[in-house]
């Protein structure tokens, strides 16, 4: 399969790879997907007291498109409020990376990951 | 060393230059271009001679009578002709067929079609090493079983089934035994005087012959009958009509002749290269070999690097032409059905790579391959949340994953 240049670029130079302390109250963690399906995304966000995402990190097990989708997502959410980040749509990710139809599920997973991370953060705050 | 490195010899092989040379002699106006069926002139006679010479060479590799070889367009057609042809001809005796879950699609999909036509098919599950338990095969046989189709060597994991033992089971019961030998001819010794196989499929392009060329062995004693699938001029004793493709046939014949001569020395060389490759991964953590290592062709290594997804690894290994059992390489989301049939966890199936070594593989290429694989598996594990969890001692099975 031929990959788009943007997918290749993110795959070769993934942004914001890493792990944050999941027990930190400012950190929200989302882990979505399943090993049996061939992709698992872990996305972590660090949120300041104004509700703005200061930092984001990811680790992904999956194909190149899944890695690229999560890498792109970490770039996009940084500096956004939780509300703004929660509105990111998978179609925007798919469009930006020029994902072919068989890879759309990678962008869906990325959208699920940010939603899960926001949920985790908000549950902790309560 | 030329990049990319080709390590996908089970998918196909290049034509051996000696074979290409022979093929070219059968095409142009001053070559041997005649129709082998033309009886009225020398062009036809010469073409027929070349075809019969090739038939002898194919027969010689597997020790059968040349009159038992029927030319086809490849192993796919041979499998179709054998299975549909025998099922249709013998259906008055019964309508039950036995095959295995790890067969090539050319066998599985043909059986599916026969199911739609009212036949009943048992798909045996192999053991975890990919081999069939003969007792389970025997237990699956019924009074109305007319055909058993079991491949000799598996295309993904390279394991070799005991076709001689199966033949001892089928012959006294008068069950027809078909073997797909696309991946074994020229790699494993085949003796059709000994093995009680009734039908055997061959392909030319897996052993340095041309694509679009194959053959079916149809036993004469005891005589096996087939319903033709291709009707027309009555070529190949009515079993497969169509003008014989002299250059293709000559190519297959030459490829089989060379295979007979060089198989033993090649196998030793492949084994050394394969063991070198395997040794290069020996000290890595969480590496699993798929399929039995003992009953296996020398040129195949199918291996899973746990916690790394196969397609992303292939993407990193862009200087290597290899294949993966991961779903992502195909349009479906299911990983390799062969690895799943072995009972491998889906994640291990997703993490598998198949290396197949062949005639033009060098030691230098193997060393480069080892270096590239190690480097990139390490890199992708650094990126893998599953690897972190494994390192933290978390059992992945204890987690509730949301399947998607
Ligand atoms: C085991 C097996 N059977 C059948 C085939 C099909 O052969 P062909 O490409 O000659 O139709 C292949 C090759 O893909 C194979 O590996």
């Amino acid at each position: 399969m031929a990959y788009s240049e943007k997918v290749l670029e993110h795959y070769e130079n993934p942004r914001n790879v890493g792990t944050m302390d999941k027990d930190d109250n400012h950190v929200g963690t989302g882990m979505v997907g399943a090993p049996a399906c061939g992709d698992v995304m872990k996305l972590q966000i660090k949120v300041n007291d104004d509700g703005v995402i200061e930092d984001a990190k990811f680790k992904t097990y999956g194909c190149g498109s899944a890695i690229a989708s999560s890498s792109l997502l970490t770039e996009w959410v940084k500096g956004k409020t939780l509300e703004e980040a929660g509105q990111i749509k998978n179609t925007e990710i798919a469009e930006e990376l020029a994902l072919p139809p068989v890879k759309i599920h990678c962008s869906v997973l990325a959208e699920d990951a940010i939603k899960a991370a926001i949920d985790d953060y908000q549950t902790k705050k309560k | 060393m030329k990049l990319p490195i080709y390590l996908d010899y089970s998918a196909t092989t290049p034509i051996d230059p000696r074979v290409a040379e022979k093929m070219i002699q059968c095409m142009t106006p001053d070559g041997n271009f005649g129709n082998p069926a033309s009886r009225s002139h020398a062009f036809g006679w010469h073409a027929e001679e070349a075809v019969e010479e090739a038939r002898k060479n194919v027969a010689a590799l597997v020790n059968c009578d040349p009159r038992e070889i029927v030319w086809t367009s490849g192993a796919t057609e041979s499998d179709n002709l054998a299975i549909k042809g025998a099922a249709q001809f013998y259906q008055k005796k019964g309508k039950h067929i036995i095959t295995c879950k790890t067969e090539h699609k050319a066998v599985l999909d043909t059986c599916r079609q026969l199911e739609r036509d009212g036949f009943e098919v048992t798909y045996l599950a192999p053991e975890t090493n990919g081999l069939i338990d003969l007792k389970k095969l025997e237990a699956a046989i019924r009074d109305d079983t007319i055909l058993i189709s079991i491949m000799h060597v598996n295309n993904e994991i390279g394991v070799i089934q005991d076709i001689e033992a199966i033949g001892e089971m089928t012959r006294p019961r008068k069950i027809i035994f078909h073997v797909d030998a696309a991946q074994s001819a020229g790699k494993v010794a085949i003796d059709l005087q000994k093995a009680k196989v009734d039908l055997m499929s061959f392909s030319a392009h897996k052993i340095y012959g041309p694509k679009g060329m194959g053959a079916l062995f149809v036993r004469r004693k005891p005589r096996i009958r087939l319903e033709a699938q291709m009707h027309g001029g009555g070529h190949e004793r009515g079993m497969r009509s169509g003008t014989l493709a002299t250059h293709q046939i000559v190519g297959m014949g030459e490829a089989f002749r060379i295979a007979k001569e060089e198989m033993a020395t090649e196998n030793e060389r492949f084994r050394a290269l394969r063991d070198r490759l395997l040794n290069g991964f020996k000290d890595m953590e969480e590496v699993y070999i798929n399929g039995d290592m003992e009953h296996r062709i020398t040129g195949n290594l199918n291996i899973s690097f746990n916690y790394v997804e196969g397609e992303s690894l292939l993407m990193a290994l862009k200087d290597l032409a290899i294949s993966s059992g991961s779903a992502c390489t195909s349009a479906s989301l299911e990983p390799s059905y062969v690895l799943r049939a072995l009972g491998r966890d889906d994640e291990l199936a997703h993490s598998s790579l198949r290396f197949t070594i062949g005639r033009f593989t060098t030691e230098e290429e193997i060393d480069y391959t080892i270096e590239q694989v190690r480097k990139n598996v390490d890199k992708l594990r650094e990126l893998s949340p599953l690897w972190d969890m494994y390192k933290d001692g978390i059992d992945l099975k204890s987690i509730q994953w949301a399947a998607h």
Side-chain angles (χ1 to χ4, degrees):
Chain A
M1 181 183 298
Y3 299 96
S4 73
E5 260 173 46
K6 283 194 176 135
V7 168
L8 283 171
E9 209 275 314
H10 274 281
Y11 174 74
E12 267 156 30
N13 311 292
R15 329 283 201 266
N16 307 309
V17 176
T19 306
M20 297 189 227
D21 178 8
K22 67 176 178 359
D23 298 324
D24 183 336
N25 259 338
H26 290 283
V27 171
T29 302
M31 181 137 76
V32 295
C37 304
D39 33 33
V40 175
M41 263 180 212
K42 187 175 92 173
L43 177 74
Q44 294 187 300
I45 49 173
K46 186 168 205 166
V47 186
N48 69 17
D49 294 330
D50 304 328
V52 173
I53 299 172
E54 276 186 341
D55 198 5
K57 296 272 183 224
F58 86 95
K59 286 215 172 186
T60 290
Y61 161 88
C63 66
S65 305
I67 291 171
S69 297
S70 32
S71 170
L72 175 70
L73 185 67
T74 58
E75 278 194 321
W76 277 3
V77 299
K78 273 204 224 178
K80 282 200 164 70
T81 63
L82 289 179
E83 197 187 337
E84 287 164 349
Q87 282 166 1
I88 294 175
K89 290 273 168 297
N90 83 286
T91 45
E92 300 168 73
I93 297 169
E95 195 176 323
E96 172 70 15
L97 294 173
L99 297 181
V102 292
K103 295 297 184 186
I104 296 299
H105 69 277
C106 297
S107 63
V108 173
L109 212 55
E111 183 187 321
D112 291 351
I114 182 64
K115 294 218 162 86
I118 293 170
D119 265 2
D120 180 58
Y121 171 78
Q122 283 170 340
T123 313
K124 263 187 197 165
K125 292 270 293 190
K126 275 176 199 159
Chain B
M1 192 173 58
K2 215 173 77 189
L3 297 177
I5 293 167
Y6 191 74
L7 285 172
D8 207 9
Y9 282 86
S10 281
T12 193
T13 61
I15 295 184
D16 189 297
R18 292 168 286 182
V19 171
E21 178 59 35
K22 284 246 168 184
M23 291 176 67
I24 289 165
Q25 291 166 10
C26 299
M27 291 193 249
T28 46
D30 40 358
N32 191 2
F33 72 86
N35 185 335
S38 294
R39 291 288 135 104
S40 53
H41 50 69
F43 294 90
W45 308 332
H46 287 153
E48 191 190 16
E49 249 169 58
V51 164
E52 293 317 311
E53 176 70 22
R55 206 187 297 274
K56 274 186 208 147
N57 283 327
V58 170
L61 179 67
V62 295
N63 198 21
C64 71
D65 188 315
R67 290 173 294 178
E68 294 174 313
I69 297 295
V70 172
W71 301 119
T72 67
S73 63
T76 300
E77 187 190 334
S78 300
D79 289 343
N80 273 267
L81 174 56
I83 296 169
K84 289 181 194 157
Q88 288 164 8
F89 193 91
Y90 294 99
Q91 57 183 319
K92 287 210 181 68
K93 287 180 62 187
K95 291 196 128 187
H96 181 235
I97 297 166
I98 301 172
T99 186
C100 178
K101 288 184 171 164
T102 51
E103 291 293 313
H104 192 268
K105 289 283 182 192
V107 168
L108 293 177
D109 278 18
T110 301
C111 287
R112 287 266 179 252
Q113 179 58 35
L114 286 173
E115 282 183 279
R116 287 189 283 271
D117 294 340
F119 287 84
E120 224 186 297
V121 182
T122 300
Y123 300 89
L124 283 177
E127 302 305 293
T128 53
N129 61 3
L131 296 171
I132 289 171
D133 180 340
L134 296 179
K135 287 199 193 71
K136 291 184 186 163
L137 175 58
E138 190 157 28
I141 295 175
R142 316 191 312 209
D143 287 342
D144 61 341
T145 306
I146 51 167
L147 174 69
I148 294 183
S149 180
I150 299 290
M151 72 201 314
H152 196 191
V153 166
N154 182 274
N155 44 305
E156 287 194 28
I157 52 178
V159 300
I160 307 168
Q161 306 291 355
D162 189 350
I163 57 170
E164 290 190 11
I166 299 172
E168 295 303 328
M169 232 180 251
T170 51
R171 183 60 58 79
R173 293 176 169 91
K174 294 198 166 65
I175 295 168
I176 292 175
F177 181 28
H178 167 248
V179 174
D180 179 341
Q183 295 286 352
S184 67
K187 297 171 192 156
V188 181
I190 298 174
D191 184 349
L192 288 171
Q193 299 300 331
K194 275 212 201 106
K196 297 188 172 74
V197 173
D198 300 307
L199 298 160
M200 188 177 261
S201 301
F202 304 109
S203 179
H205 74 97
K206 308 287 186 187
I207 55 166
Y208 314 96
K211 295 168 186 56
M213 185 63 218
L216 180 66
F217 157 81
V218 184
R219 188 175 288 284
R220 287 165 68 91
K221 279 184 203 153
R223 184 169 178 213
I224 302 301
R225 311 283 299 272
L226 297 176
E227 199 75 61
Q229 304 297 310
M230 191 72 83
H231 302 93
H235 307 74
E236 300 297 278
R237 283 164 288 125
M239 277 186 271
R240 204 280 191 175
S241 288
T243 298
L244 295 177
T246 315
H247 62 298
Q248 296 284 89
I249 291 169
V250 163
M252 181 163 180
E254 183 63 4
F256 274 57
R257 187 193 66 75
I258 294 171
K260 184 173 161 66
E261 257 178 27
E262 302 185 354
M263 188 166 92
T265 39
E266 267 195 329
N267 266 333
E268 266 176 51
R269 205 175 69 82
F270 293 174
R271 185 183 299 280
L273 290 172
R274 201 261 316 271
D275 291 349
R276 190 182 183 92
L277 183 60
L278 182 56
N279 270 327
F281 305 138
K282 269 269 158 73
D283 59 323
M284 294 174 79
E285 273 179 89
E286 289 292 302
V287 172
Y288 298 87
I289 295 172
N290 300 307
D292 196 78
M293 266 317 266
E294 200 179 317
H295 301 96
R296 187 188 197 105
I297 54 166
T298 55
N300 173 294
L301 184 64
N302 189 313
I303 191 165
S304 291
F305 297 93
N306 208 2
Y307 311 122
V308 174
E309 192 276 329
E311 183 186 327
S312 62
L313 187 50
L314 282 191
M315 205 168 153
L317 299 172
K318 54 185 178 304
D319 287 337
L320 306 180
I322 52 180
S323 67
S324 165
S326 174
C328 274
T329 49
S330 61
S332 84
L333 290 177
E334 302 275 297
S336 154
Y337 68 90
V338 172
L339 297 183
R340 297 187 77 185
L342 308 193
R344 271 287 187 230
D345 286 345
D346 281 357
E347 49 260 53
L348 275 179
H350 277 297
S351 305
S352 71
L353 295 183
R354 180 188 73 174
F355 302 90
T356 43
I357 291 163
R359 189 167 286 167
F360 306 103
T361 308
T362 64
E363 220 169 68
E364 192 189 11
E365 290 178 335
I366 295 293
D367 290 346
Y368 181 82
T369 299
I370 294 168
E371 184 196 309
Q372 287 292 310
V373 171
R374 292 189 69 112
K375 192 174 84 187
N376 286 295
V377 166
D378 285 350
K379 181 183 144 188
L380 287 169
R381 281 180 172 171
E382 280 308 306
L383 216 67
S384 167
L386 304 182
W387 178 249
D388 283 349
M389 292 165 82
Y390 160 73
K391 282 288 170 181
D392 291 341
I394 299 169
D395 179 7
L396 295 185
K397 293 202 173 48
S398 70
I399 294 180
Q400 283 272 319
W401 299 100
H404 55 284

